[in-house]
Amino acid sequence: MPTNRVPKGVRGGGQFAASAHMEPDLSITNADFPSVGDADVDQLRALAESNDPLVRAEVTSSIRVPDDVLERLAEPDQPPAVRLAAVNTGYAGTADRAAEDPHPLVRAAALTGWDLSDAHRERLAHDPKVQRVMGLISH
């Protein structure tokens, strides 16, 4: 026989009713690293070396990210999510760099770039893997 979560006749009571509690005495912020939006160039360089690919991808969103850091985050040894974030910045040169990427999703993102050369645009327009990705995201 199933147990009722709230016994009959008890309004808002029972095992799963809200109860008062204290807030935890825990902070997950790191005073050495502000948010990416507030980070200076040296802090961005340090964050770009993070073991966490999501942190590296977030670095690309800073308006202060140096070109050499953005180029490093677009290199093929970076995870595809980091390279995709780099091409989606829209900074000059990112689309042409991503047009040569090994991952078709990154190349597809390059195809939408304003700075993609005509030669790369023509090649990507006929790249079957890129066209498959474009077909998947356009439906």
Side-chain angles (χ1 to χ4, degrees), residues 53-68:
L54 295 176
V55 171
R56 294 193 309 267
E58 182 67 20
V59 167
T60 68
S61 70
S62 173
I63 61 171
R64 289 185 278 285
V65 64
D67 289 340
D68 64 304

Side-chain angles (χ1 to χ4, degrees), residues 70-138:
L70 191 57
E71 288 175 18
R72 171 71 187 109
L73 295 174
E75 290 180 2
D77 65 331
Q78 295 287 337
V82 175
R83 300 190 320 264
L84 183 61
V87 71
N88 284 329
T89 63
Y91 291 135
T94 57
D96 268 343
R97 196 169 34 249
E100 302 288 339
D101 196 273
H103 199 286
L105 182 58
V106 177
R107 292 195 311 273
L111 186 56
T112 65
W114 65 270
D115 59 328
L116 187 64
S117 69
D118 290 339
H120 281 308
R121 190 172 306 282
E122 179 67 23
R123 184 177 55 75
L124 293 178
H126 294 95
D127 180 328
K129 290 182 179 177
V130 168
Q131 291 309 308
R132 183 162 192 269
V133 169
M134 296 302 284
L136 290 171
I137 61 176
S138 66

